[in-house]
Amino acid sequence: MPKSVLDAIKMGVWDFEPEDTPQHHYESTRALPGTMEKIRTLEERLSNGLPLWHEADRLYYEDSAE
């Protein structure tokens, strides 16, 4: 069974769906959408077989940078 969508593509598994991962098992990011920091975070999640999105990820510039 592939670990990530990248592994699935390499194996020719075109209907791969990652397992649901509780959001407390991976961190959110304060990086703004479109920044290299956010892209690196998405790359890391993808390669680790995690969901791309976290409900606490920063969405807007106006969001607090706590």
Side-chain angles (χ1 to χ4, degrees):
M1 182 54 119
K3 175 184 169 187
S4 72
V5 70
L6 297 176
D7 292 338
I9 290 169
K10 290 175 187 174
M11 296 170 67
V13 178
W14 303 109
D15 59 351
F16 175 77
E17 287 293 329
E19 292 182 30
D20 285 336
T21 303
Q23 291 193 1
H24 66 274
H25 286 184
Y26 63 105
E27 293 184 26
S28 63
T29 181
R30 299 306 304 153
L32 285 168
T35 62
M36 287 308 299
E37 182 182 358
K38 179 68 175 232
I39 292 169
R40 282 191 293 274
T41 298
L42 296 177
E43 287 175 334
E44 184 178 317
R45 289 176 183 171
L46 182 66
S47 66
N48 288 319
L50 296 169
L52 289 178
W53 316 116
H54 189 289
E55 68 181 24
D57 282 351
R58 186 174 182 180
L59 299 176
Y60 305 103
Y61 180 79
E62 293 81 16
D63 289 345
S64 66
E66 300 171 25

